[in-house]
Each structure stands twice: as C-alpha cells, then as structure tokens.
Amino acid sequence: MKMDWLSEKIKLLIKNKSVDEITLRVVRESQNLTRFAENHIIQNVTKKTNDIYITAFNGKSTGTARTQDTSEESLLRNLKRAEEIAINSPEDPEFIEPLEPIEINGVDRYFNNARDLTPEEKAEEINKIKKEAVAKGMEIAGQYLNGEYSVGFANSLGHIAFHQHTLVNFSITAMLDDSSGYAGEADENLDKINLGRVADIAFTKASLGKNPVELTTGEYPVILEAQAIADFIPFLKWMMDRRAADEGYVYFSGRLGKKIASENVNLYSDPYNFDNPSEPFVSENGLPLGKIVWIENGVLKNLQTSRYWAKKKNLKPIGFATNIILEGGKKSLEEMIKSCDDALLITRLWYIRFVNRMDLNLTGMTRDGLYKIKNGEIVSAFKNMRFNDSPIRLLNSVAEFGIPRRIQGYCLVPPVFVKGFKLSSTTLF
Amino acid sequence: MKDLCLEAMNTALNLGVDYADIRIINQRDQMIVILDMSPKQINDEETVGFGIRVLKNGAWGFASASCVNKENINSIVKEAFQVAIASSRTKEGKGVILASEPAYQDYFKTPIEIDPFTVNMNDKIHLLLEINKKILNVKHIAKAFSRLRVTRRDQFFASTEGSMVETDIYTVSAGYTAVSVKGGDSQDRSFQDYPLNKGWEHIQSLNLLGNAERIAEEAVMKIDADFPKEGKKDLVLDPAHLSLTIHESVGHATELDRVLGYEANFAGRSFVTTEKKGNFRYGSEKGNFIADNTLPGGLATTGYDDEGVKCQRWDIIKDGIFVDYSSTREVAPLIGEKRSRGSARADGYYNMPINRIPNLYLMPSGDDTTPEDLISGVEDGILIEGRGSFSIDQMRLNFQFGGDAFFEIKNGKKDKMLRDVIYQSITPEFWGNLDAISGKDYWEPRGFRNCGKGEPMQVAQMTNGAPYARFRKINVLRGKS
C-alpha cells in the first residue's frame, strides 16, 4: 500500500457512498518472525496482513466494517455494511465530524535492509550465537523479527495521511541452571542492530546471576536499567487522559500545572525525534501529532485530550502519542554502576499491572537479572522479587539519570538511579 | 474450500515435505462498546485468509496470506517450504517429530439455539445503552462502560496425513463496568465478561440488565468501605475470581512448551518441570483439576485443535498430585508421550499454532456444600468476588491478585464491604492451603477470550471453570498506599 493506493480507494468509496461522510483506515504488515528456544529455531513465520476499516458517518451515527480483502468488490461490500450499521444505529451524543484536510509532515524511516533480511540470513546469525552459547554451557531463547509496516488514513473531506516504516527487533535470553540474562535491540535500520553485542550482554548477565540468594523485602536504592524503565513508564502515560482527570477517576485529577515529579524529570513525545521516530498521526482519525511535553521540570504540563473532550471544554486536542521520551543524563550504565556504593540493579520488569489507578500503584516482578552493587561493582545476584510501587513515587525519588537508550522502537529512556523502590515479596528462583 | 485444501496438500507433497497442513479461516466478529451513552465502537468485521505449515528436514516453516485462491495458495506453500529449509539450519538432533494422530474427515459445529448474528445489531446496541442508563442513574457514578462481542469462526483444516476437518465455532460474551467518584476518590465494579461457545441464548441467560443497578451501587459502596487489615487471613473465592487464579497458576504452569523452554524469552517458563509428572504435590488432596476440551459451551471446545487433534478430556491434577500437561504434536513426544493432548491453537490464520491452556477447571466437591457453608467455617477472613489486578512471575510461582468486590468475614458471617484488597502467595503453598470446595450447583464455566502468549503475542480463548473454594492463612495486603 502506498499513498496513491489510499487516494484511489477513498475516491472509489466516495463515488459509491450513500451516507454523509466516510473514512478509510488501512493497517498493513509484512513480517518475518524467527523464534528460537532450546538452542534451535522453533518457529519461522512469514505473515502478510491488510486490515481495512471503513467507517460510515450518517447524521450523528457511525458504523465500521473491517475486511482483509483489498478487492474493489470487497471494499464496496464493506462500505455498504458500514453504511447499514450507521443508518440503523442511534445517534452518538459525543459525535465528532471527520477532520478537515491538514498537512502532515512525513517521517522517513524505511530501510530496505530491514525489509529484505531473509529467514536464511537470520538462521545463520542465530546459528553463530547458538554455537557461542553452547561453548559457554548456556541455553538460549529469543526472537529475530523484521518487516515493513504501513498505516494509512483518508476521509471524504479530503484529509489523507500515510506512514510506513521498517523494523528489526532482536532479543535473547541466555540461561544457566539457576540464572538468566536478557538483552534486546530494535530499530528501523538493520545496521543499527548488533546481534553480537546483544548476545554478549545476555551471556554476561546470565553469568553474573549465578547462585542467587534470597533478598529481604523492603525499600531499596535501585538502578533500573533502560529496559526496566521502558517496562514501567508507559503505564504512567496510559493514564494521562484529560477527560478521565476532569471526571475525577485517575491520579492526574486536579494536578495539571502542578509538580508531580522531581525537578530533573522531563517526559515528552515527539514522532519527529530523530533517535526515536514514530507515526506522526493518530491512525484512527488522522489527527496530526507533534511534540507534546507531558512533564517539564517535574510539572505536569499536558494530558491526552480527545477531539470530543477538546471541543466540549474548548481545549486543543492532543492525540494518543506514538512514542515516549524521558530525558536522561550523561553517564553510561557502566559509569552509574561504578559510582554507586550500595544498591540493587534491575534488568527488566515483568507482568506489570495496575493495583490502584488513583495512586498509580503498580505490581510486577523483576526478571532475568537482579543484582547487588557494592562499591561500584556487581558482586552477587538475588532471587527475583515482586514490587509494589508507583511510577510517580519513582519519578519523585530520582537520584540520577543515565544516557537514554531506545527500547522496542517505542521508548527512548535512560537507566535511572532511584533512592527507594518497594519490593514486597520474593519468589523461589 | 476443500478443493483448495487438497490443492495445497498436493503441492506440498510434490515439493517433498515431511508433513504439511493448511487452515483456511473465515471469521466474523461483531463488537459493540458503549461508554456512558456514546457508542464508541460498532464494528462488523470479517477476516478471511489461510496459513500453511510445512515440516521439512525436522524444521518448521509457516507462511500465510489473506487472499484465498489457488494461485496464491500454491505460492504460499512454496514460501513455507523455503522457510522450513532455512529453519533446519539450527536443527537439534532429529528435529521435530510429530506425535501420531489418526486422519479425520469430520465436521464440528458449536451447538447453538439462537444464531447471534441473526439478532439485530440495533437490539444489541440498545441492550448496552439500557445497561449504561441504569448505571448512570445511580448517584456518584461517573462512568458506565459496557461491551458485547459475538464471533463465528469457520475453519477448514487439512493435512498431508489425510485429515479434512471443518469446525464452525460460535462464541458470545458481554459485560460492563461502573466507575464511581466521590470525595476525590474513585472505585469500579464490574459485571464480569462471561464468554461461552454458545448462541445468543447465553447472553439472554446472563440477566445483564437486572444486575446493572446493584453493580453500580456496589461501585459507590466500595469508596466508603474500609481497607483490609494486613496479615494472614482465610479467603473464600468465588468462581469468577478463582477462574483467573486457576488460569495463571495452574493453566499456564502446565503448558508443556513452557516447561521445555519454548517461551523463555517472553511469556516465560514453568516450575512444573518434567520430573514432577506423576509425583509432585501441587496442592491439597481437595484439588482435582480436569482439562476438558469436550466441555459443552467451553471456549476451547472446538472438536479438533488447530493441528487436527481430536479434543480430549484428561486429568491435570488428581487429589492434589500433578498428573499431566497440556501439549501439542510437537512437544508431546519430547517427554515420551505417544499422543498430543490437542492444545495447539493459533490466533488467526496468520499465526502458527502454539501450546495453549485447554478448558481447565477445578472440580466441585462431591457433596452439596454451599458458599455459606464455606463462610461459616471462617473466623477472620475475606470473601472475594470477581477479577481485579493480577500478576505472576515467569515461572508461575509468586503471584498477587486483587478482586472486584471484597466482603469481610467475621465469626462465620459475611460482613461489611472492604476495598483495595490484594493477596500474595506461591503457587504450591496456595493450593496446599485449599481446604474446602462448594458443590456442583455453585460451579461456573468462567473463561477468557484474551489469553496472551507467544512473541509477538497471540490471543486465545479457553474456559477455566471453578466452584467457590476456601483457602487458609493467605497473606493479605492493602492495595492502595
């Protein structure tokens, strides 16, 4: 799918529509996934999908039909289905018209090297890493994914938006009898991914994790690696909704413009950020996205605001952002560890869930590497722990930020040294 | 469709595959979501496509496409074949050897009384609007959120071993949530989504509208409720709540692919290692867990799984002792099993089947024990209804659960409402503290349509039924700071 295809298809739908307005949204994926475990490839999958959503607007009613068939016959049949739903549906008291045309600058992050990587090439690379793992007496599991993705939006008022990008995502878990280590890298450009570097980190972490002992529950000074921060911080952003805040059922109620984090905390989103680019519009309605500052010097500056809520409250709509950027510092993770006297190091967090949305209390587990840092060195490992803590409390107890790293092609976040992180129970490994 | 399946299998055999199968799927979903009185989603969706799995030199290749025609199918078979050859480069030993399974020619359809797609879309929307109206009429309610989904998945499966099976599966579900706001605080209470493989008659049986006001009133009551006193307490858990605890701490823990390390990079492994089979005490002798993909209405009751294995019923835990895993044709032979337990499921035509939790349930007691009987045996405890926050470690040991509603139990009586209760335990310790179970009249086939596993994540559905059950001395904490 390209912009031309989108333009041609919306014209076809406009010509055949019998309702007031229509929108067309297309999400296309062409993905090659290689999964490995127990030192061999367990899945090698090529996947091609086209999801086409046609929404009909009839008065103040809407209806949506979805298909994966791109033929003209299918598009027209699904247009009729969407129209039937809209015609027979009750009026929506929160109805919002489709957007008028707005220019959206593109984000160019399409790399042929990521698209063209073959299953054979990936198998070769995995084989090399497997040999290294076997020599170290380790077992490996992981994934090596590549593909091209595109999303297009067009409506009958003439608004049209299109974005495509590639992605390579490699991650690996190295395992010994009583320890494991995890590492991963993701980018649109294959040249930015270094499989050997990723594997080495996982191998080192597994070695450092040997002979773990039980840790007493309590509050500890902790360095959370960038991966752990990327696991944790999105939960904060998902709750940053203006309507929910105004209606009083999230933590952010009454806090806009107030200090909610340490003064050194700056959190924002920006699809045009060179180091962490993302989709520059909301795929559901084509609303453009720009740089939005969420927290500036610890003060809550903005909340996501739907088009409906913006109109009702006379505000500017702020779309659900497609990336997260937490400003960092100048030290590498290794330098942070060296300058630390006594703390824990957490590699990754797992199975995080909200416990209470009013204080943003979350729970989850440490995973694939929980270590003790003493006098600037990793000296031992602990069995994994459950945490019960809030990202707000964490962002109020920041002692130091490290250099940001891009995680999962979505977050650009640093490792963070926090003065206190609450660990509530232990597990058996 | 049968001709296309045969075409694909002939092409695969001509290429020299060791084994191949094809799934051609035509799925229709209707999804309605209403927030307050605003229809946020009124969708009618169709998904058509096919996936082909090829085994060559002991390694898998898989390819899929959405355009179902002869030319495309032949091209995708060849693509899957090439991918299998690439996979074989890291093969260990002999590679994949499939457990044997007879070839079937069969047709299975979910027994339904009322086809949910014959029910007018507008009637479905109005049902949800009525629910939300009732919820929003209750003082201090800020939000009402209701949802309904009906699905039909028609799948043709064929293999180079001669199977040709059509499965025509219907699933329906509905539920809603009320959010209260009062004095700068907020709580919510839900009519938990209750999915089954049935027709519209299941939605009619739920009394969705009749419970809306009570659910909303309890959402408000929760705000004024006391926090729990922390410490060891006895818990009585209702079926809707316990279904999730079973799902996380027994269902996922006994998936054989996890045990063997297939999900080590993301979804995780399991503490239920293979030497534990047949001798590990998982919990008290009261605990009998059955896997049953023939359960009427069960979400995994599909006649055959996604690699053509006939659905079965077997013991997972018997009298508290771990007995068997769920498995697929690939992993079953790795522990010496001759036959797969038929637990291979794929999310759509575009994913490769993986080992999933079957319909899995805790058996009710053999007597007529009531929930009140369980409560009467508790001096200091909590009754938990419905699901709330949930989290478990990647080996399925340390877990923490919340709930949807909590009632204090004092001296054998259900007492005042509580709020923000969470409990923590370790799987075998928790099930070891199971000391009483209600009878079959209080057993419910609760389940999930959105169980996540795999990398990238695949979604699957299964029923995890439960009666009421009582657990002694579980660590209770306060979930709000």
Side-chain angles (χ1 to χ4, degrees):
Chain A
M1 177 190 56
K2 299 282 180 198
M3 185 73 116
D4 291 351
W5 185 93
L6 196 63
S7 182
E8 185 190 313
K9 299 306 173 196
I10 191 70
K11 280 179 194 157
L12 172 76
L13 296 176
I14 291 169
K15 195 175 150 194
N16 288 278
K17 76 179 173 68
S18 59
V19 291
D20 300 329
E21 305 295 346
I22 51 160
T23 67
L24 169 67
R25 181 162 72 99
V26 184
V27 181
R28 183 174 178 273
E29 250 184 54
S30 177
Q31 180 179 282
N32 296 311
L33 165 71
T34 305
R35 296 182 75 196
F36 52 100
E38 289 198 298
N39 292 347
H40 69 278
I41 290 173
I42 55 164
Q43 276 185 29
N44 225 340
V45 174
T46 69
K47 171 179 170 184
K48 294 180 186 75
T49 57
N50 279 296
D51 282 309
I52 299 165
Y53 299 83
I54 299 170
T55 300
F57 294 68
N58 183 61
K60 291 190 171 181
S61 302
T62 63
T64 299
R66 186 187 79 155
T67 182
Q68 297 190 321
D69 183 349
T70 56
S71 69
E72 185 171 321
E73 181 277 324
S74 162
L75 294 176
L76 294 179
R77 181 165 44 83
N78 281 285
L79 170 65
K80 293 298 160 214
R81 278 206 303 159
E83 288 180 337
E84 274 170 33
I85 297 169
I87 289 164
N88 291 307
S89 293
E91 283 196 355
D92 180 357
E94 299 184 5
F95 177 82
I96 286 287
E97 303 80 7
L99 279 171
E100 294 286 342
I102 316 169
E103 194 175 339
I104 297 173
N105 293 324
V107 173
D108 182 15
R109 296 293 281 178
Y110 190 94
F111 292 85
N112 292 346
N113 61 16
R115 182 197 60 199
D116 297 338
L117 183 63
T118 66
E120 289 81 3
E121 288 167 324
K122 291 196 287 185
E124 288 295 336
E125 294 289 337
I126 291 166
N127 226 357
K128 277 186 218 160
I129 293 169
K130 167 193 148 181
K131 283 178 185 158
E132 227 179 306
V134 170
K136 291 175 189 294
M138 293 186 187
E139 188 177 305
I140 56 167
Q143 65 142 3
Y144 193 5
L145 174 152
N146 67 298
E148 57 177 326
Y149 307 82
S150 54
V151 56
F153 176 89
N155 69 27
S156 50
L157 296 175
H159 183 43
I160 190 160
F162 178 76
H163 174 70
Q164 65 175 353
H165 70 100
T166 46
L167 182 69
V168 181
N169 189 343
F170 176 73
S171 62
I172 178 170
T173 302
M175 288 162 281
L176 288 164
D177 286 347
D178 61 357
S179 67
S180 59
Y182 170 88
E185 288 183 2
D187 201 273
E188 292 86 355
N189 182 356
L190 176 64
D191 292 342
K192 292 269 189 79
I193 307 293
N194 184 328
L195 269 61
R197 175 174 63 207
V198 176
D200 281 346
I201 294 170
F203 293 150
T204 304
K205 281 188 166 290
S207 295
L208 287 168
K210 283 192 279 193
N211 306 315
V213 296
E214 202 166 296
L215 179 65
T216 312
T217 58
E219 190 172 332
Y220 289 91
V222 162
I223 295 176
L224 291 136
E225 290 193 21
Q227 176 67 52
I229 292 295
D231 293 332
F232 203 54
I233 291 298
F235 285 83
L236 175 79
K237 192 179 142 272
W238 293 333
M239 285 289 120
M240 294 180 114
D241 181 76
R242 179 67 186 257
R243 180 176 185 176
D246 288 349
E247 292 184 335
Y249 57 93
V250 289
Y251 168 82
F252 299 102
S253 299
R255 287 192 160 91
L256 208 51
K258 295 185 178 162
K259 188 171 174 299
I260 61 164
S262 304
E263 279 177 13
N264 53 358
V265 172
N266 290 289
L267 183 75
Y268 63 98
S269 297
D270 183 2
Y272 299 99
N273 182 285
F274 183 79
D275 296 318
N276 189 33
S278 63
E279 216 168 282
F281 58 91
V282 178
S283 70
E284 284 77 10
N285 58 19
L287 183 70
L289 295 168
K291 180 174 179 178
I292 294 290
V293 176
W294 308 113
I295 301 172
E296 187 174 60
N297 300 327
V299 174
L300 180 64
K301 301 297 282 187
N302 283 295
L303 294 168
Q304 284 148 180
T305 310
S306 70
R307 292 183 63 221
Y308 165 71
W309 201 247
K311 187 176 178 185
K312 184 180 167 83
K313 297 286 180 180
N314 200 22
L315 302 165
K316 187 183 166 206
I318 299 173
F320 194 88
T322 46
N323 67 10
I324 298 179
I325 299 162
L326 180 63
E327 280 186 2
K330 291 192 164 46
K331 278 188 189 170
S332 67
L333 175 65
E334 293 70 28
E335 288 166 337
M336 289 174 79
I337 293 169
K338 270 183 194 157
S339 62
C340 180
D341 291 335
D342 190 0
L344 304 178
L345 175 67
I346 293 176
T347 304
R348 181 186 187 195
L349 299 174
W350 161 249
Y351 217 133
I352 304 173
R353 290 292 182 275
F354 282 103
V355 178
N356 186 293
R357 65 172 182 272
M358 291 306 284
D359 62 5
L360 287 183
N361 192 16
L362 302 174
T363 191
M365 295 294 301
T366 67
R367 181 170 173 183
D368 300 321
L370 173 62
Y371 309 100
K372 181 176 178 59
I373 303 170
K374 191 79 183 167
N375 300 324
E377 285 185 10
I378 295 172
V379 292
S380 59
F382 294 111
K383 291 181 180 177
N384 285 296
M385 298 290 289
R386 173 166 298 287
F387 70 87
N388 279 68
D389 213 333
S390 133
I392 292 294
R393 228 183 61 80
L394 183 142
L395 292 178
N396 270 292
S397 96
V398 176
E400 188 175 33
F401 288 114
I403 298 169
R405 259 193 69 206
R406 194 174 191 213
I407 306 288
Q408 295 293 332
Y410 170 68
C411 290
L412 182 64
V413 292
V416 183
F417 183 22
V418 297
K419 293 166 206 158
F421 192 56
K422 290 180 181 174
L423 301 174
S424 61
S425 61
T426 187
T427 189
L428 307 183
F429 65 96
Chain B
M1 287 301 171
K2 285 184 181 175
D3 288 347
L4 290 171
C5 287
L6 288 173
E7 172 78 21
M9 294 303 94
N10 285 333
T11 305
L13 287 169
N14 288 336
L15 285 168
V17 302
D18 301 332
Y19 169 85
D21 59 34
I22 181 170
R23 289 177 303 116
I24 304 179
I25 295 178
N26 186 340
Q27 179 165 320
R28 186 171 175 204
D29 276 282
Q30 281 184 352
M31 288 182 276
I32 305 169
V33 175
I34 312 280
L35 182 66
D36 298 341
M37 299 306 284
S38 168
K40 289 296 174 208
Q41 192 180 31
I42 307 176
N43 283 22
D44 196 337
E45 307 190 350
E46 64 174 26
T47 312
V48 182
F50 65 97
I52 289 172
R53 195 170 64 147
V54 163
L55 191 60
K56 177 67 183 172
N57 298 334
W60 287 117
F62 179 89
S64 64
S66 58
C67 190
V68 186
N69 61 44
K70 187 175 164 182
E71 190 184 18
N72 218 14
I73 280 178
N74 283 326
S75 144
I76 292 293
V77 173
K78 287 169 192 159
E79 190 174 340
F81 181 73
Q82 290 305 322
V83 174
I85 288 171
S87 302
S88 66
R89 296 185 185 192
T90 62
K91 186 178 68 175
E92 287 279 294
K94 289 180 181 171
V96 175
I97 295 170
L98 297 178
S100 62
E101 182 72 13
Y104 303 97
Q105 283 75 44
D106 205 355
Y107 171 74
F108 177 88
K109 183 181 178 185
T110 305
I112 55 170
E113 291 170 24
I114 304 167
D115 183 338
F117 291 96
T118 63
V119 177
N120 190 297
M121 184 74 118
N122 214 17
D123 292 344
K124 293 168 183 159
I125 296 166
H126 278 287
L127 170 65
L128 298 192
L129 284 169
E130 278 301 304
I131 289 167
N132 283 14
K133 195 171 166 187
K134 275 184 176 274
I135 291 171
L136 292 166
N137 277 341
V138 172
K139 195 178 173 188
H140 299 302
I141 289 293
K143 303 302 295 176
F145 167 60
S146 56
R147 58 261 166 194
L148 188 150
R149 183 178 170 199
V150 301
T151 303
R152 178 184 180 185
R153 187 177 95 145
D154 189 14
Q155 172 172 294
F156 283 83
F157 171 89
S159 74
T160 49
E161 293 172 342
S163 275
M164 177 72 74
V165 174
E166 182 184 359
T167 51
D168 192 2
I169 308 302
Y170 286 78
T171 306
V172 297
S173 58
Y176 51 85
T177 301
V179 179
S180 59
V181 173
K182 187 180 172 190
D185 204 350
S186 174
Q187 287 282 320
D188 55 54
R189 174 82 165 114
S190 293
F191 184 100
Q192 222 93 56
D193 292 59
Y194 198 153
L196 280 176
N197 281 4
K198 286 193 170 181
W200 187 252
E201 66 278 5
H202 175 56
I203 301 295
Q204 289 176 325
S205 75
L206 291 175
N207 194 15
L208 289 160
L209 204 51
N211 282 291
E213 201 171 323
R214 174 182 65 82
I215 291 291
E217 285 168 355
E218 288 182 356
V220 180
M221 281 167 64
K222 277 175 82 175
I223 293 187
D224 296 324
D226 289 338
F227 291 98
K229 291 194 178 86
E230 296 191 342
K232 301 273 186 190
K233 290 186 187 298
D234 295 345
L235 300 180
V236 176
L237 305 179
D238 88 337
H241 177 90
L242 198 53
S243 62
L244 183 57
T245 318
I246 291 168
H247 180 91
E248 300 289 354
S249 68
V250 182
H252 280 308
T254 54
E255 291 167 327
L256 183 54
D257 68 333
R258 275 181 191 268
V259 174
L260 297 174
Y262 278 43
E263 296 287 338
N265 194 53
F266 182 67
R269 293 182 281 163
S270 170
F271 74 97
V272 193
T273 40
T274 52
E275 78 285 357
K276 293 185 172 76
K277 189 170 182 276
N279 58 60
F280 177 69
R281 178 155 287 287
Y282 211 100
S284 82
E285 72 284 354
K286 303 272 185 190
N288 286 290
F289 291 85
I290 305 287
D292 186 0
N293 285 342
T294 67
L295 177 75
L299 296 168
T301 303
T302 53
Y304 297 82
D305 75 355
D306 288 341
E307 53 182 5
V309 176
K310 203 172 179 68
C311 285
Q312 300 159 46
R313 183 183 193 273
W314 71 102
D315 289 316
I316 294 283
I317 294 169
K318 192 164 177 54
D319 301 327
I321 302 295
F322 167 64
V323 178
D324 207 352
Y325 299 103
S326 61
S327 63
T328 66
R329 293 186 70 186
E330 177 179 350
V331 296
L334 298 176
I335 59 164
E337 295 292 331
K338 289 198 165 48
R339 191 183 180 208
S340 160
R341 287 301 190 181
S343 306
R345 309 280 174 175
D347 181 3
Y349 66 82
Y350 41 78
N351 280 304
M352 195 162 149
I354 56 174
N355 196 156
R356 305 306 302 243
I357 301 174
N359 295 326
L360 168 71
Y361 52 87
L362 174 62
M363 289 284 281
S365 67
D367 54 29
D368 55 1
T369 301
T370 66
E372 290 72 29
D373 292 335
L374 302 184
I375 289 168
S376 70
V378 174
E379 278 186 27
D380 177 22
I382 299 172
L383 166 67
I384 302 182
E385 293 180 359
R387 300 170 198 141
S389 177
F390 56 101
S391 171
I392 190 164
D393 73 42
Q394 63 106 347
M395 298 290 272
R396 303 279 149 182
L397 282 162
N398 175 308
F399 62 68
Q400 175 177 305
F401 286 95
D404 191 44
F406 316 96
F407 299 91
E408 193 169 48
I409 303 173
K410 278 288 174 199
N411 303 318
K413 301 273 187 217
K414 178 181 167 184
D415 199 3
K416 65 186 179 188
M417 203 171 198
L418 297 172
R419 59 176 289 179
D420 294 296
V421 175
I422 53 174
Y423 65 92
Q424 292 182 344
S425 193
I426 298 285
T427 295
E429 289 175 17
F430 176 78
W431 290 109
N433 291 344
L434 168 68
D435 90 323
I437 295 173
S438 69
K440 62 177 170 33
D441 290 350
Y442 304 94
W443 184 91
E444 294 177 13
R446 294 287 179 160
F448 305 90
R449 297 194 72 173
N450 57 352
C451 169
K453 187 182 168 186
E455 187 180 26
M457 194 173 277
Q458 293 193 43
V459 169
Q461 62 181 45
M462 66 289 294
T463 290
N464 295 139
Y468 282 78
R470 187 173 66 203
F471 298 82
R472 298 295 190 189
K473 297 191 185 316
I474 305 297
N475 192 31
V476 168
L477 299 164
R478 175 180 160 144
K480 187 171 189 286
S481 52

